[in-house]
């Protein structure tokens, strides 16, 4: 089944230099994703929009968050993606920000194998795959940016992700329409885990496509 956006010029516009690598990722997902239980049967024709472009929408926000570190004189940042599953947003982020190390943290063995295979086949030298639950990963030294998509509501996610963000780093999470309600509900957990100034941004996906939402929380 063909993808609705195969060959569309918006792919180049949204993914830039990472397009060739992400075309290989798309082909691999198309061939193996459903069989391996990583995507649903109806996702096959909307892989670009629902998964790859949706993940790519977070990249400008991550770059912004890392940019602040450069201002502070730190040369390299570090990114962790919690609960990467089939590689969203982690593999897409690693392809689009190839000069920054990206750690993919995922507890399920089969998904860990998939993620490692993707990193190897796509020659993403900046990817490390870690088989763990987020709450088992040592908090130190922490990551400059922790990201995630579709892992848990903010009430739970705060305790899983914020401890892994280094001081003055950021949680940058893809969220659905309920983003503001989720952070309102999780105000106590966010504060307790050292989070400050939680806020929601609308994130453009590509021209003509519905935008998504990004939650950003600063770490004390
Ligand atoms: C619904 S999937 C989302 C996968 C991917 N982020 C996406 O957006 O397509 C949730 C993923 O989170 C992982 N997960 C569940 N609990 C976790 C935890 N405590 N720490 C890290 N990952 C977890 C699951 O194994 C699963 O791969």
């Amino acid at each position: 089944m063909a993808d609705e956006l195969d060959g569309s010029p918006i792919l180049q516009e949204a993914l830039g230099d990472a397009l060739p690598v992400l075309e290989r990722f798309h082909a691999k997902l198309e061939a193996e994703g459903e069989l391996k239980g990583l995507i649903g049967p109806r996702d096959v024709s909307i892989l670009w929009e629902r998964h790859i472009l949706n993940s790519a929408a977070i990249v400008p926000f991550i770059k912004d968050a890392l940019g602040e570190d450069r201002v502070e004189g730190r040369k390299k940042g570090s990114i962790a993606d919690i609960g990467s599953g089939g590689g969203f947003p982690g593999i897409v982020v690693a392809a689009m920000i190839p000069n920054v190390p990206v750690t993919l943290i995922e507890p399920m063995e089969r998904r860990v194998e998939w993620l490692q295979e993707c990193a190897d086949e796509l020659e993403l030298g900046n990817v490390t795959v870690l088989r763990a639950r987020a709450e088992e990963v040592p908090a130190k030294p922490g990551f400059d940016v922790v990201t995630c998509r579709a892992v848990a509501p903010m009430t739970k996610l705060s305790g899983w992700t914020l401890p892994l963000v280094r001081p003055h780093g950021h949680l940058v999470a893809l969220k659905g329409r309920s983003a503001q309600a989720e952070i309102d509900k999780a105000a106590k957990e966010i504060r307790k885990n050292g989070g400050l100034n939680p806020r929601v941004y609308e994130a453009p996906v590509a021209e003509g496509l519905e935008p998504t939402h990004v939650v950003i929380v600063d770490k004390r």
Side-chain angles (χ1 to χ4, degrees):
M1 198 194 298
D3 192 308
E4 289 167 4
L5 290 179
D6 276 339
S8 163
I10 67 172
L11 298 179
Q12 176 70 52
E13 215 170 287
L15 305 172
D17 291 348
L19 178 58
V21 172
L22 292 172
E23 278 175 336
R24 281 155 60 202
F25 183 41
H26 183 280
K28 188 171 168 65
L29 279 162
E30 206 168 44
E32 305 170 42
E34 191 190 339
L35 211 69
K36 295 194 167 163
L38 300 160
I39 52 167
R42 275 178 298 170
D43 287 347
V44 179
S45 62
I46 47 172
L47 272 173
W48 282 121
E49 178 175 356
R50 175 169 298 182
H51 295 294
I52 299 179
L53 293 179
N54 182 273
S55 294
I58 205 173
V59 167
F61 295 88
I62 293 179
K63 282 186 172 169
D64 250 24
L66 290 170
E68 287 173 28
D69 300 323
R70 293 208 187 93
V71 173
E72 286 169 19
R74 291 164 54 98
K75 282 268 175 333
K76 266 209 172 172
S78 58
I79 301 168
D81 179 35
I82 306 294
S84 304
F88 311 107
I91 291 283
V92 179
V93 167
M96 293 181 75
I97 316 182
N99 59 334
V100 174
V102 180
T103 303
L104 309 180
I105 299 171
E106 168 60 52
M108 281 183 59
E109 186 176 13
R110 291 240 300 266
R111 294 182 178 177
V112 166
E113 279 168 15
W114 162 263
L115 292 167
Q116 191 59 59
E117 212 176 280
C118 289
D120 293 343
E121 287 177 21
L122 304 178
E123 297 168 275
L124 295 171
N126 57 333
V127 168
T128 303
V129 184
L130 189 60
R131 183 177 178 199
R133 297 188 151 275
E135 54 282 36
E136 296 164 358
V137 177
K140 284 199 174 159
F143 298 91
D144 294 302
V145 170
V146 172
T147 189
C148 59
R149 183 185 87 157
V151 174
M154 279 303 293
T155 39
K156 243 190 201 164
L157 210 55
S158 309
W160 289 0
T161 55
L162 284 167
L164 298 182
V165 182
R166 69 159 179 82
H168 310 298
H170 309 271
L171 168 64
V172 183
L174 274 164
K175 279 283 172 195
R177 286 173 199 277
S178 61
Q180 186 62 50
E182 277 195 40
I183 59 178
D184 290 345
K185 198 171 168 200
K188 201 173 80 192
E189 289 85 353
I190 292 172
R191 241 190 346 263
K192 196 177 101 193
N193 287 289
L196 298 171
N197 197 19
R199 56 213 183 266
V200 181
Y201 293 95
E202 192 174 86
V205 170
E207 211 183 311
L209 301 182
E210 204 179 316
T212 186
H213 296 88
V214 170
V215 166
I216 301 192
V217 183
D218 306 328
K219 181 78 181 281
R220 205 166 33 228

